[in-house]
Each structure stands twice: as structure tokens, then as C-alpha cells.
Amino acid sequence: MTDSKETGTDANPLENVKLSNDDNIALKDLLHQRLLECGWRSNIEKMIRQTIQERGVANLTHDELAAEIVPHARALVPEFIRKEMIMRVRNALETSLPPGQK
């Protein structure tokens, strides 16, 4: 991997910053709460139940179910939640930067 000075590009200062465990838990909890509030979770549960009912529980593995549901579930996350989470993750990373790199 080349150094940003060699390529003439500015490196992203957040690229190698790790969130604290507390920040990580808080962000996961916030995402969970937002998805519950907007009804996303209940929609996904209905989708799972419908898929199991259509294909039969004996004809469906956990991996097959996940492969079918996960892409739809990700696409159904509301844009306002995506934007809020991106902003909050970025803020948490910026506050985790060592002094002098901000």
C-alpha cells in the first residue's frame, strides 16, 4: 500500500480509527431503536414468516433464508436512518481521533 504523500492524495484521517466498545454498543442500540420505531423490524419478521410459509421450514436452511432476506432487509432501511447513522458514526470516529489529527 502506498503512502498518501507518495500518491499526492490526502489520506482519510478516520480510516484507521477504532470506535470504543461503549460507542459501538451505543450506536448499535440506537440503530436497533430507530429500526423498531419505523416498523422495519416487524416488516422483516413478516417477510421471514412469509418465506418460511411459502417454501416450508423443512426445505429451507438458515443460510438460504438469510441469503434471501438480507439483501431485501438492507434495501428497506429508510434513508433518514442511514443518514443519521452515518453522521453519528462519523462524529464518534472524529471524537476518537488522537489530538493533533482532528
Side-chain angles (χ1 to χ4, degrees), residues 33-62:
Q33 184 62 36
R34 293 292 190 263
L35 293 174
L36 282 174
E37 291 170 355
C38 76
W40 177 90
R41 183 181 169 114
S42 61
N43 290 340
I44 300 308
E45 287 173 355
K46 288 175 191 173
M47 191 183 304
I48 291 169
R49 284 188 187 101
Q50 182 179 356
T51 301
I52 291 172
Q53 188 176 25
E54 288 172 359
R55 298 200 25 209
V57 72
N59 302 322
L60 192 61
T61 67
H62 179 270

Side-chain angles (χ1 to χ4, degrees), residues 23-39:
D23 284 340
N24 200 2
I25 291 169
L27 288 166
K28 284 181 182 180
D29 289 346
L30 177 64
L31 177 60
H32 184 259
Q33 184 62 36
R34 293 292 190 263
L35 293 174
L36 282 174
E37 291 170 355
C38 76

Side-chain angles (χ1 to χ4, degrees), residues 14 19 23 84-97:
L14 301 178
L19 288 175
D23 284 340
E84 178 185 5
M85 294 308 299
I86 288 169
M87 179 195 68
R88 289 184 181 264
V89 168
R90 186 173 288 130
N91 289 342
L93 288 171
E94 287 172 352
T95 59
S96 297
L97 278 174

Side-chain angles (χ1 to χ4, degrees), residues 2-11:
T2 60
D3 188 2
S4 63
K5 292 177 184 175
E6 293 174 12
T7 62
T9 61
D10 292 326

